[in-house]
Amino acid sequence: MRKRVALLAVALFSAYAMMAVTKHLRVRTNAFDLGIFEQGVRGYAGLGAPLAPLKGPGVHLLGDHFHPILILLAPIYRVFPSPITLLIVQAALLAVSAVPVTRLAVARFGNRGGLAIGAAYGLSWGIQQAAGFDFHEICFAVPLLAFSLECLVRRRWGVAVVWAAPLLLVKEDLPLTVAAIGAYLVLRGRWRLGLATVGGAVTAGLLIVLVLIPAFNQAGAYAYTSGSAPLTGVPIKLLTVVLLLLPTGFLGVRSPLLLLTLPTLAWRFWADNPHYWGPGYHYSAVLMPIVFVAMLDAPPALLDRCRRWLPAACLAVAVSASAVLPLNALADPATWRRDPAAAAIRSALTRIPDDAVVAADQRLAPQLTARCEVYLFPFYPNAVVRPEWVAVLDPPDAVPGYRRVTSDGGVMLFARVTPPAAETGFRFVRP
């Protein structure tokens, strides 16, 4: 059975990776966020700071969000310096998260039923959205949570905390989830370990938000504390909750493990950014292991009554939803045909020399971040930062102080003809 679980993970990895890589090769990835994260990892790989010019001159990524775990990508990126490296690593991490979920499912529903639920998890909308929307640091959190949750269900309390502890290095909101795991341990009677976990997570979270992030931030503050809208957008928030519970037939509500979703839902629904409220983007990926493991942790008598139909139902829902989710691209013949427009774009960009300073738009930026210092057009060029090149797909007729070099492949390339008003002083070292 181990081989079948491993094969499922390999199949999911292959699907995620092919979908993400073909999307990038068709010039459909973005500066926000693939380009930004590549700049940060490139900084680590060059034994420097994770600076992200796409967010502004000298912006240190640890002053934006706290994700030092990304340094683990530096050795891989140094050997394979490409945005595709990040996409493949993300695909692997998301696929690995299916292993503990499938093992639990096999223990509850047998071989066939367990594999069906594992496949349903791998095809769930939260995981697909993360795999299909560029790269994000939460790809590390998904397997860590999945393994920790498996240990909680199997009552391996100490090992569960060991798996959860690295979440503190993934993003600044995840100490709340680690604290929730500690609270669950208290609920299960593991007072000492639970209270220690809660205390350590809360202390780490406060240190990260109040000290570490401001220390790296140019303004000396954490930028995501302002603005709250808990009573705004209620319909879309309710839709998100329903969609979270739907893939598992709402059975997760019968397990206290479902409470671990509350920290993530709380900060998302409290914030005034509408992007956080709905099911789009990558924000729900960390919730999918919780929802599926909570279902598997439902009372045994209830699962016995559902044994015949639940695995097939979960898989049917996941497969049906895939028709409108990112993996649907694999069924599109255009995905596998040569894209002349994308090839022309990449060919046009070769006119920009390595190590050049470039202002590029959202779609072109991640095509250049592996070899150039890239700023985001139209915010740059400006009076302070005047890159040597400007590369855009839908440009104005002219860029002051620049001459148009070419419009091959639909890409407008402009070269600077006037001296820069000021040099930024920030240059990446090629790894």
Side-chain angles (χ1 to χ4, degrees):
M1 193 59 205
R2 290 181 179 178
K3 290 183 179 180
R4 294 182 181 181
V5 174
L7 286 174
L8 174 63
V10 169
L12 291 171
F13 162 72
S14 300
Y16 301 153
M18 287 188 293
M19 179 263 296
V21 171
T22 54
K23 181 180 178 181
H24 178 71
L25 293 177
R26 296 169 72 192
V27 195
R28 297 188 179 184
T29 49
N30 301 283
F32 283 60
D33 289 305
L34 179 58
I36 288 172
F37 279 110
E38 185 183 9
Q39 287 183 328
V41 173
R42 186 183 179 193
Y44 284 132
L47 304 180
L51 302 181
L54 281 168
K55 292 187 73 72
V59 170
H60 196 298
L61 283 187
L62 292 181
D64 184 44
H65 290 295
F66 191 75
H67 36 53
I69 200 166
L70 292 179
I71 200 170
L72 296 178
L73 298 179
I76 305 172
Y77 186 86
R78 193 174 181 91
V79 178
F80 304 104
S82 166
I84 291 176
T85 300
L86 275 63
L87 297 175
I88 290 177
V89 169
Q90 176 170 262
L93 290 168
L94 293 175
V96 165
S97 74
V99 171
V101 175
T102 307
R103 288 193 305 218
L104 274 179
V106 168
R108 296 291 189 268
F109 291 95
N111 292 346
R112 289 185 179 180
L115 287 172
I117 289 177
Y121 165 80
L123 297 175
S124 62
W125 62 268
I127 298 296
Q128 285 203 49
Q129 293 282 51
F133 183 60
D134 291 359
F135 174 90
H136 296 89
E137 71 278 80
I138 57 90
C139 64
F140 285 93
V142 178
L144 289 170
L145 264 175
F147 282 104
S148 180
L149 291 163
E150 179 192 26
C151 292
L152 289 177
V153 172
R154 298 186 185 277
R155 301 178 181 240
R156 301 175 63 194
W157 313 117
V159 181
V161 173
V162 170
W163 277 111
L167 292 171
L168 303 175
L169 305 177
V170 177
K171 198 176 179 184
E172 67 275 7
D173 63 286
L174 288 170
L176 294 173
T177 300
V178 179
I181 290 174
Y184 176 83
L185 292 173
V186 171
L187 185 66
R188 298 306 299 262
R190 300 291 165 170
W191 289 85
R192 184 175 300 178
L193 180 60
L195 291 175
T197 302
V198 172
V202 171
T203 301
L206 292 173
L207 178 66
I208 289 167
V209 172
L210 299 180
V211 179
L212 295 179
I213 291 179
F216 290 105
N217 186 277
Q218 291 174 323
Y222 178 54
Y224 298 95
T225 54
S226 62
S228 61
L231 300 181
T232 305
V234 172
I236 187 65
K237 293 173 182 176
L238 289 176
L239 175 63
T240 299
V241 173
V242 171
L243 291 177
L244 281 171
L245 299 174
L246 181 62
T248 57
F250 296 86
L251 294 183
V253 297
R254 298 296 302 274
S255 167
L257 282 175
L258 194 66
L259 296 174
L260 301 185
T261 63
L262 294 183
T264 297
L265 291 176
W267 75 257
R268 286 174 57 185
F269 292 170
W270 184 266
D272 62 355
N273 186 343
H275 291 134
Y276 297 157
W277 304 340
Y281 305 105
H282 58 287
Y283 300 112
S284 296
V286 296
L287 300 176
M288 302 318 294
I290 302 174
V291 171
F292 272 81
V293 174
M295 175 193 71
L296 297 170
D297 188 51
L302 176 61
L303 294 181
D304 286 341
R305 292 198 298 270
C306 304
R307 181 177 298 275
R308 291 186 177 181
W309 60 267
L310 183 60
C314 290
L315 184 57
V317 169
V319 171
S320 299
S322 294
V324 294
L325 290 171
L327 284 178
N328 183 52
L330 298 180
D332 183 356
T335 299
W336 308 107
R337 289 196 293 263
R338 181 179 179 275
D339 188 338
I345 289 172
R346 290 195 297 274
S347 176
L349 294 178
T350 61
R351 300 192 62 163
I352 300 175
D354 291 353
D355 296 317
V357 182
V358 186
D361 61 20
Q362 279 278 2
R363 285 180 58 194
L364 296 184
Q367 305 294 322
L368 292 164
T369 44
R371 61 186 185 86
C372 297
E373 180 178 333
V374 185
Y375 294 83
L376 187 63
F377 182 89
F379 303 102
Y380 301 93
N382 60 21
V384 176
V385 179
R386 295 186 59 77
E388 301 159 292
W389 295 81
V390 174
V392 286
L393 288 173
D394 297 306
D397 292 334
V399 180
Y402 290 75
R403 63 180 177 85
R404 191 168 75 179
V405 175
T406 182
S407 58
D408 293 346
V411 177
M412 290 285 189
L413 285 185
F414 298 85
R416 192 181 66 211
V417 295
T418 57
E423 294 295 336
T424 66
F426 296 96
R427 294 296 296 259
F428 283 148
V429 177
R430 285 182 64 82

